[in-house]
Amino acid sequence: MTGTQRRHEDHVADRFGAQAAAYVASAVHAAGADLDRMARRLHGSRPARALDLGCGGGHVAFAIAPEAGSVTALDLSPDMLAAVAAEAARRGLSNIATEAGSAEALPFPDASFDAVATRFSAHHWRDVRAGLSEARRVAKPGAPTLIADVVAPDDALLDTHLQAVELLRDPSHVRDYSVPEWLGMLTDAGFTVDKVTHGRLRMDFSTWIARMRTPEPHVAAIRSLQTSAPDEVARHFGIEPDGSFWIDTVLIEAAAV
């Protein structure tokens, strides 16, 4: 690799490493009904080893640690992992360990985990199908697999708007997938889907932009897209005068076949 070329994985690590503390503290990421459901889903099975795949600020690991023997929090960013380890220690969660790695090439043997979870991470994976295949490889047969993420609307006009503002805000964004896309990819990777729970999440514009330190020209471009959006786009995303808006989310409860 020469010149200014950089791998996507390096780009993701750099973008999120610089904002590690912000993601640990982020109110949007730190709480939510989906986190509560993840913890409840694992309460009965009490997995000996669980994986938080693309852990970001570590909020899945923090939520499920009381329900598991141990939790491995994996992320590309060493700075993010250091922030997660510090917060786990502050909370007294001694059963959380951190590991650097990519979702598409997990550094674990086959059938290593009794549960796998990922939240608000997969839309940054360069190859989500490879990531899901790796998740299936390291999961034991029958292991609960919990996936929460922003989802794209099925309508092409709405989908295009969402992907555009996401990429302008954060160049490490790859794609928000639709629910039908998720269900197909999970089936292809070797999972059965047990339950799909839809949600909506309000994004406060100033906080959303500040969390990634989005450059002002990109902020202006997002606001231009919002103010010129067709009525059906403005209605679906509930775009407010200050740019705040709503996104669609999903929690998929699956199991490794």
Side-chain angles (χ1 to χ4, degrees), residues 56-91:
H59 301 297
V60 169
F62 304 149
I64 67 176
E67 314 300 341
S70 68
V71 180
T72 300
L74 178 132
D75 202 87
L76 283 169
S77 167
D79 292 333
M80 192 72 82
L81 292 173
V84 170
E87 180 65 13
R90 189 188 71 80
R91 297 185 184 205

mmCIF file of all heavy atoms in Angstrom, residues 56-91:
data_model
loop_
_atom_site.group_PDB
_atom_site.id
_atom_site.type_symbol
_atom_site.label_atom_id
_atom_site.label_comp_id
_atom_site.label_asym_id
_atom_site.label_seq_id
_atom_site.Cartn_x
_atom_site.Cartn_y
_atom_site.Cartn_z
ATOM 1 N N GLY A 56 -17.522 -1.136 20.354
ATOM 2 C CA GLY A 56 -17.644 0.309 20.487
ATOM 3 C C GLY A 56 -17.394 0.729 21.925
ATOM 4 O O GLY A 56 -16.378 0.385 22.522
ATOM 5 N N GLY A 57 -18.351 1.468 22.497
ATOM 6 C CA GLY A 57 -18.216 1.934 23.873
ATOM 7 C C GLY A 57 -18.435 0.876 24.924
ATOM 8 O O GLY A 57 -18.398 1.187 26.129
ATOM 9 N N GLY A 58 -18.684 -0.370 24.526
ATOM 10 C CA GLY A 58 -18.761 -1.475 25.480
ATOM 11 C C GLY A 58 -20.105 -1.681 26.150
ATOM 12 O O GLY A 58 -20.214 -2.473 27.091
ATOM 13 N N HIS A 59 -21.153 -1.032 25.646
ATOM 14 C CA HIS A 59 -22.417 -1.044 26.377
ATOM 15 C C HIS A 59 -23.109 -2.406 26.362
ATOM 16 O O HIS A 59 -23.788 -2.763 27.338
ATOM 17 C CB HIS A 59 -23.324 0.054 25.839
ATOM 18 C CG HIS A 59 -22.704 1.411 25.964
ATOM 19 N ND1 HIS A 59 -22.405 1.971 27.179
ATOM 20 C CD2 HIS A 59 -22.265 2.296 25.028
ATOM 21 C CE1 HIS A 59 -21.828 3.147 27.002
ATOM 22 N NE2 HIS A 59 -21.735 3.359 25.701
ATOM 23 N N VAL A 60 -22.938 -3.173 25.286
ATOM 24 C CA VAL A 60 -23.477 -4.532 25.297
ATOM 25 C C VAL A 60 -22.730 -5.374 26.331
ATOM 26 O O VAL A 60 -23.345 -6.105 27.119
ATOM 27 C CB VAL A 60 -23.376 -5.171 23.898
ATOM 28 C CG1 VAL A 60 -23.682 -6.670 23.967
ATOM 29 C CG2 VAL A 60 -24.333 -4.497 22.931
ATOM 30 N N ALA A 61 -21.417 -5.269 26.330
ATOM 31 C CA ALA A 61 -20.623 -6.030 27.310
ATOM 32 C C ALA A 61 -21.042 -5.686 28.733
ATOM 33 O O ALA A 61 -21.192 -6.584 29.585
ATOM 34 C CB ALA A 61 -19.137 -5.747 27.106
ATOM 35 N N PHE A 62 -21.240 -4.404 29.006
ATOM 36 C CA PHE A 62 -21.645 -3.993 30.362
ATOM 37 C C PHE A 62 -23.022 -4.566 30.708
ATOM 38 O O PHE A 62 -23.260 -4.961 31.849
ATOM 39 C CB PHE A 62 -21.687 -2.474 30.477
ATOM 40 C CG PHE A 62 -20.400 -1.773 30.111
ATOM 41 C CD1 PHE A 62 -20.426 -0.495 29.555
ATOM 42 C CD2 PHE A 62 -19.168 -2.377 30.310
ATOM 43 C CE1 PHE A 62 -19.251 0.156 29.217
ATOM 44 C CE2 PHE A 62 -17.985 -1.740 29.969
ATOM 45 C CZ PHE A 62 -18.029 -0.463 29.423
ATOM 46 N N ALA A 63 -23.929 -4.592 29.721
ATOM 47 C CA ALA A 63 -25.296 -5.053 29.982
ATOM 48 C C ALA A 63 -25.369 -6.555 30.218
ATOM 49 O O ALA A 63 -26.158 -7.022 31.042
ATOM 50 C CB ALA A 63 -26.211 -4.658 28.820
ATOM 51 N N ILE A 64 -24.566 -7.324 29.480
ATOM 52 C CA ILE A 64 -24.693 -8.782 29.569
ATOM 53 C C ILE A 64 -23.694 -9.408 30.538
ATOM 54 O O ILE A 64 -23.828 -10.592 30.858
ATOM 55 C CB ILE A 64 -24.576 -9.447 28.180
ATOM 56 C CG1 ILE A 64 -23.161 -9.289 27.606
ATOM 57 C CG2 ILE A 64 -25.636 -8.897 27.233
ATOM 58 C CD1 ILE A 64 -22.961 -10.015 26.265
ATOM 59 N N ALA A 65 -22.728 -8.646 31.017
ATOM 60 C CA ALA A 65 -21.724 -9.213 31.924
ATOM 61 C C ALA A 65 -22.343 -9.883 33.153
ATOM 62 O O ALA A 65 -21.879 -10.959 33.570
ATOM 63 C CB ALA A 65 -20.715 -8.145 32.343
ATOM 64 N N PRO A 66 -23.398 -9.303 33.770
ATOM 65 C CA PRO A 66 -23.993 -9.976 34.933
ATOM 66 C C PRO A 66 -24.663 -11.305 34.590
ATOM 67 O O PRO A 66 -24.950 -12.101 35.504
ATOM 68 C CB PRO A 66 -25.025 -8.961 35.441
ATOM 69 C CG PRO A 66 -24.553 -7.641 34.917
ATOM 70 C CD PRO A 66 -23.972 -7.954 33.577
ATOM 71 N N GLU A 67 -24.928 -11.541 33.288
ATOM 72 C CA GLU A 67 -25.629 -12.752 32.868
ATOM 73 C C GLU A 67 -24.681 -13.821 32.330
ATOM 74 O O GLU A 67 -25.133 -14.904 31.953
ATOM 75 C CB GLU A 67 -26.662 -12.418 31.774
ATOM 76 C CG GLU A 67 -27.521 -11.212 32.039
ATOM 77 C CD GLU A 67 -28.357 -11.329 33.299
ATOM 78 O OE1 GLU A 67 -28.561 -12.457 33.783
ATOM 79 O OE2 GLU A 67 -28.800 -10.287 33.817
ATOM 80 N N ALA A 68 -23.383 -13.544 32.238
ATOM 81 C CA ALA A 68 -22.436 -14.458 31.596
ATOM 82 C C ALA A 68 -21.260 -14.760 32.514
ATOM 83 O O ALA A 68 -20.924 -13.966 33.405
ATOM 84 C CB ALA A 68 -21.927 -13.841 30.289
ATOM 85 N N GLY A 69 -20.621 -15.899 32.243
ATOM 86 C CA GLY A 69 -19.415 -16.207 32.984
ATOM 87 C C GLY A 69 -18.297 -15.241 32.649
ATOM 88 O O GLY A 69 -17.621 -14.715 33.536
ATOM 89 N N SER A 70 -18.115 -14.996 31.348
ATOM 90 C CA SER A 70 -17.144 -14.013 30.886
ATOM 91 C C SER A 70 -17.636 -13.408 29.594
ATOM 92 O O SER A 70 -18.419 -14.019 28.854
ATOM 93 C CB SER A 70 -15.764 -14.654 30.672
ATOM 94 O OG SER A 70 -15.789 -15.553 29.576
ATOM 95 N N VAL A 71 -17.189 -12.174 29.325
ATOM 96 C CA VAL A 71 -17.538 -11.475 28.088
ATOM 97 C C VAL A 71 -16.249 -10.980 27.444
ATOM 98 O O VAL A 71 -15.426 -10.335 28.104
ATOM 99 C CB VAL A 71 -18.470 -10.271 28.344
ATOM 100 C CG1 VAL A 71 -18.802 -9.567 27.024
ATOM 101 C CG2 VAL A 71 -19.746 -10.707 29.042
ATOM 102 N N THR A 72 -16.083 -11.276 26.157
ATOM 103 C CA THR A 72 -14.982 -10.731 25.384
ATOM 104 C C THR A 72 -15.506 -9.581 24.549
ATOM 105 O O THR A 72 -16.427 -9.758 23.746
ATOM 106 C CB THR A 72 -14.359 -11.795 24.462
ATOM 107 O OG1 THR A 72 -13.858 -12.876 25.264
ATOM 108 C CG2 THR A 72 -13.222 -11.202 23.647
ATOM 109 N N ALA A 73 -14.957 -8.392 24.742
ATOM 110 C CA ALA A 73 -15.349 -7.201 23.985
ATOM 111 C C ALA A 73 -14.319 -6.986 22.884
ATOM 112 O O ALA A 73 -13.154 -6.680 23.165
ATOM 113 C CB ALA A 73 -15.420 -5.987 24.908
ATOM 114 N N LEU A 74 -14.737 -7.162 21.627
ATOM 115 C CA LEU A 74 -13.822 -7.060 20.491
ATOM 116 C C LEU A 74 -14.097 -5.807 19.687
ATOM 117 O O LEU A 74 -15.250 -5.462 19.416
ATOM 118 C CB LEU A 74 -13.968 -8.281 19.586
ATOM 119 C CG LEU A 74 -13.079 -8.271 18.331
ATOM 120 C CD1 LEU A 74 -12.355 -9.608 18.159
ATOM 121 C CD2 LEU A 74 -13.883 -7.938 17.073
ATOM 122 N N ASP A 75 -13.019 -5.116 19.294
ATOM 123 C CA ASP A 75 -13.158 -3.909 18.484
ATOM 124 C C ASP A 75 -11.866 -3.684 17.708
ATOM 125 O O ASP A 75 -10.803 -4.199 18.081
ATOM 126 C CB ASP A 75 -13.455 -2.692 19.369
ATOM 127 C CG ASP A 75 -14.119 -1.560 18.584
ATOM 128 O OD1 ASP A 75 -15.352 -1.565 18.476
ATOM 129 O OD2 ASP A 75 -13.385 -0.690 18.080
ATOM 130 N N LEU A 76 -11.970 -2.893 16.627
ATOM 131 C CA LEU A 76 -10.787 -2.553 15.842
ATOM 132 C C LEU A 76 -9.889 -1.549 16.542
ATOM 133 O O LEU A 76 -8.681 -1.520 16.320
ATOM 134 C CB LEU A 76 -11.213 -1.959 14.497
ATOM 135 C CG LEU A 76 -11.705 -2.899 13.410
ATOM 136 C CD1 LEU A 76 -12.312 -2.091 12.275
ATOM 137 C CD2 LEU A 76 -10.558 -3.758 12.893
ATOM 138 N N SER A 77 -10.465 -0.682 17.372
ATOM 139 C CA SER A 77 -9.750 0.468 17.913
ATOM 140 C C SER A 77 -9.121 0.177 19.270
ATOM 141 O O SER A 77 -9.836 -0.058 20.256
ATOM 142 C CB SER A 77 -10.705 1.663 18.045
ATOM 143 O OG SER A 77 -10.130 2.678 18.833
ATOM 144 N N PRO A 78 -7.792 0.219 19.378
ATOM 145 C CA PRO A 78 -7.158 0.051 20.685
ATOM 146 C C PRO A 78 -7.584 1.121 21.686
ATOM 147 O O PRO A 78 -7.736 0.831 22.882
ATOM 148 C CB PRO A 78 -5.657 0.160 20.366
ATOM 149 C CG PRO A 78 -5.534 -0.199 18.923
ATOM 150 C CD PRO A 78 -6.791 0.317 18.287
ATOM 151 N N ASP A 79 -7.801 2.351 21.223
ATOM 152 C CA ASP A 79 -8.245 3.415 22.124
ATOM 153 C C ASP A 79 -9.633 3.118 22.675
ATOM 154 O O ASP A 79 -9.913 3.356 23.860
ATOM 155 C CB ASP A 79 -8.250 4.758 21.398
ATOM 156 C CG ASP A 79 -6.852 5.241 21.050
ATOM 157 O OD1 ASP A 79 -5.903 4.860 21.760
ATOM 158 O OD2 ASP A 79 -6.711 5.989 20.074
ATOM 159 N N MET A 80 -10.519 2.602 21.816
ATOM 160 C CA MET A 80 -11.855 2.248 22.270
ATOM 161 C C MET A 80 -11.785 1.121 23.292
ATOM 162 O O MET A 80 -12.463 1.150 24.335
ATOM 163 C CB MET A 80 -12.724 1.830 21.081
ATOM 164 C CG MET A 80 -14.193 1.722 21.392
ATOM 165 S SD MET A 80 -14.999 3.319 21.641
ATOM 166 C CE MET A 80 -15.291 3.816 19.933
ATOM 167 N N LEU A 81 -10.946 0.132 23.028
ATOM 168 C CA LEU A 81 -10.819 -0.992 23.958
ATOM 169 C C LEU A 81 -10.259 -0.543 25.303
ATOM 170 O O LEU A 81 -10.681 -1.037 26.354
ATOM 171 C CB LEU A 81 -9.932 -2.072 23.341
ATOM 172 C CG LEU A 81 -10.521 -2.794 22.131
ATOM 173 C CD1 LEU A 81 -9.484 -3.706 21.500
ATOM 174 C CD2 LEU A 81 -11.771 -3.573 22.495
ATOM 175 N N ALA A 82 -9.318 0.393 25.277
ATOM 176 C CA ALA A 82 -8.770 0.913 26.533
ATOM 177 C C ALA A 82 -9.852 1.632 27.331
ATOM 178 O O ALA A 82 -9.927 1.493 28.568
ATOM 179 C CB ALA A 82 -7.603 1.855 26.245
ATOM 180 N N ALA A 83 -10.709 2.385 26.635
ATOM 181 C CA ALA A 83 -11.799 3.085 27.314
ATOM 182 C C ALA A 83 -12.807 2.101 27.895
ATOM 183 O O ALA A 83 -13.316 2.292 29.005
ATOM 184 C CB ALA A 83 -12.481 4.048 26.346
ATOM 185 N N VAL A 84 -13.086 1.023 27.161
ATOM 186 C CA VAL A 84 -14.012 -0.002 27.650
ATOM 187 C C VAL A 84 -13.433 -0.697 28.881
ATOM 188 O O VAL A 84 -14.140 -0.919 29.877
ATOM 189 C CB VAL A 84 -14.315 -1.026 26.532
ATOM 190 C CG1 VAL A 84 -15.079 -2.232 27.087
ATOM 191 C CG2 VAL A 84 -15.125 -0.368 25.414
ATOM 192 N N ALA A 85 -12.160 -1.053 28.822
ATOM 193 C CA ALA A 85 -11.532 -1.718 29.963
ATOM 194 C C ALA A 85 -11.550 -0.836 31.209
ATOM 195 O O ALA A 85 -11.816 -1.307 32.322
ATOM 196 C CB ALA A 85 -10.097 -2.108 29.606
ATOM 197 N N ALA A 86 -11.297 0.456 31.009
ATOM 198 C CA ALA A 86 -11.313 1.386 32.143
ATOM 199 C C ALA A 86 -12.710 1.503 32.742
ATOM 200 O O ALA A 86 -12.882 1.523 33.969
ATOM 201 C CB ALA A 86 -10.806 2.752 31.702
ATOM 202 N N GLU A 87 -13.728 1.580 31.872
ATOM 203 C CA GLU A 87 -15.100 1.696 32.371
ATOM 204 C C GLU A 87 -15.557 0.408 33.048
ATOM 205 O O GLU A 87 -16.259 0.447 34.072
ATOM 206 C CB GLU A 87 -16.040 2.062 31.224
ATOM 207 C CG GLU A 87 -17.497 2.216 31.598
ATOM 208 C CD GLU A 87 -17.775 3.378 32.541
ATOM 209 O OE1 GLU A 87 -16.870 4.238 32.736
ATOM 210 O OE2 GLU A 87 -18.897 3.448 33.085
ATOM 211 N N ALA A 88 -15.151 -0.744 32.492
ATOM 212 C CA ALA A 88 -15.499 -2.022 33.130
ATOM 213 C C ALA A 88 -14.890 -2.103 34.530
ATOM 214 O O ALA A 88 -15.553 -2.537 35.488
ATOM 215 C CB ALA A 88 -15.020 -3.182 32.265
ATOM 216 N N ALA A 89 -13.652 -1.656 34.653
ATOM 217 C CA ALA A 89 -13.010 -1.660 35.971
ATOM 218 C C ALA A 89 -13.725 -0.713 36.920
ATOM 219 O O ALA A 89 -13.924 -1.031 38.106
ATOM 220 C CB ALA A 89 -11.544 -1.268 35.829
ATOM 221 N N ARG A 90 -14.123 0.452 36.410
ATOM 222 C CA ARG A 90 -14.836 1.426 37.254
ATOM 223 C C ARG A 90 -16.146 0.849 37.767
ATOM 224 O O ARG A 90 -16.551 1.108 38.906
ATOM 225 C CB ARG A 90 -15.103 2.700 36.454
ATOM 226 C CG ARG A 90 -15.642 3.861 37.292
ATOM 227 C CD ARG A 90 -16.067 5.023 36.434
ATOM 228 N NE ARG A 90 -17.281 4.734 35.683
ATOM 229 C CZ ARG A 90 -18.517 4.788 36.194
ATOM 230 N NH1 ARG A 90 -18.686 5.095 37.473
ATOM 231 N NH2 ARG A 90 -19.562 4.528 35.438
ATOM 232 N N ARG A 91 -16.800 0.031 36.929
ATOM 233 C CA ARG A 91 -18.084 -0.567 37.310
ATOM 234 C C ARG A 91 -17.913 -1.855 38.112
ATOM 235 O O ARG A 91 -18.909 -2.449 38.536
ATOM 236 C CB ARG A 91 -18.910 -0.865 36.056
ATOM 237 C CG ARG A 91 -19.290 0.348 35.249
ATOM 238 C CD ARG A 91 -20.212 -0.043 34.110
ATOM 239 N NE ARG A 91 -20.542 1.077 33.229
ATOM 240 C CZ ARG A 91 -21.638 1.147 32.489
ATOM 241 N NH1 ARG A 91 -22.527 0.146 32.515
ATOM 242 N NH2 ARG A 91 -21.860 2.192 31.709
#
